[in-house]
Amino acid sequence: MQPAEALDLAVATGAAAVVLVEGESDRAAVEATARRTGVDLAALHILVVSMGGASGIAHFVGRLGPAGLGLPLAGLYDEAEIGYVRRGLERAGWFPRYLGSRQDLFEDGPARADLAARGFHACVTDLEDELIRALGADAVLEVVRAEGDLARFETFAHQPDHRREPVEAQLHRFLGTRSGRKIHYPPRLLEALPTGAEPPCLLGVLQAVVTEPG
């Protein structure tokens, strides 16, 4: 979605808050987390916007945040994209300029905590990794089996490039190698989690817009 489209959608739906995410798999995961934790996004007028990557976040914040519609914002991002997120929020006036390098920022725990305090939470390393760690490899394999993909996974895992990798790494690559799987699996993996075991990053973005709506 483009920033102008997000603005139009927020106005048309009477959005009260917006969660910015990198892609469609993240949007599906946030919406699935909301359903399983009893958060009615539609009733609360919370819009989840897929930006198509983190690099353009400044434009979305500019259109939707304090300088635009003035909506409360939260966000979910892969930790490797922290530079884009921080710079985008700096451009919106939320933070002073970070003077260290991109690597310094990546390793700066307090800086990451500052972003989380403003509702922007990092997936470590990414959404697939968060879900595999939360569920465990054996349970993920059961989900893959239930979805009819176990034979495909086994073929993938036995390829020369992957056969020596830990099963967690194989699953991570398998789930992320095709856009269809990348979007399809996060809600299924979330459904398989015990209540209360959702990754903190997903719970964090929802809490940011539910408990601080204004």
Side-chain angles (χ1 to χ4, degrees):
M1 184 178 293
Q2 296 299 312
E5 294 174 313
L7 175 64
D8 290 343
L9 183 60
V11 171
T13 59
V18 175
V19 177
L20 298 172
V21 299
E22 291 189 42
E24 288 299 316
S25 60
D26 305 295
R27 183 179 66 81
V30 170
E31 292 175 348
T33 303
R35 288 193 297 271
R36 62 181 277 123
T37 56
V39 175
D40 189 335
L41 295 175
L44 294 171
H45 299 284
I46 296 171
L47 186 64
V48 185
V49 170
S50 170
M51 300 181 293
S55 61
I57 189 172
H59 301 293
F60 287 89
V61 174
R63 295 288 186 104
L64 300 170
L69 280 184
L71 297 176
L73 303 178
L76 184 73
Y77 63 95
D78 294 347
E79 63 176 0
E81 309 302 329
I82 190 172
Y84 288 124
V85 175
R86 172 72 188 221
R87 302 303 185 213
L89 296 182
E90 287 174 0
R91 286 177 60 182
W94 290 22
F95 292 103
R97 180 73 176 175
Y98 188 83
L99 300 179
S101 68
R102 186 173 182 177
Q103 185 62 30
D104 291 336
L105 179 60
F106 181 79
E107 297 173 353
D108 190 334
R112 189 177 303 199
D114 287 343
L115 287 170
R118 296 299 299 264
F120 286 76
H121 293 261
C123 295
V124 183
T125 303
D126 55 22
L127 177 62
E128 290 80 17
D129 188 52
E130 288 276 4
L131 293 171
I132 291 167
R133 284 188 286 107
L135 194 53
D138 290 343
V140 174
L141 285 170
E142 286 304 311
V143 175
V144 171
R145 184 194 304 276
E147 295 299 310
D149 277 339
L150 188 60
R152 294 185 185 90
F153 170 74
E154 290 174 342
T155 298
F156 175 88
H158 283 90
Q159 292 176 1
D161 289 346
H162 307 303
R163 66 179 56 159
R164 297 184 184 277
E165 294 176 333
V167 65
E168 291 83 1
Q170 293 172 341
L171 285 165
H172 184 268
R173 291 179 184 274
F174 180 77
L175 296 178
T177 49
R178 288 178 52 188
S179 60
R181 281 199 292 260
K182 193 173 178 68
I183 296 169
H184 176 79
Y185 270 97
R188 277 74 184 174
L189 297 177
L190 280 161
E191 289 167 6
L193 281 171
T195 302
E198 299 84 3
C201 56
L202 289 169
L203 296 175
V205 293
L206 288 173
Q207 184 178 26
V209 289
V210 170
T211 61
E212 299 182 21

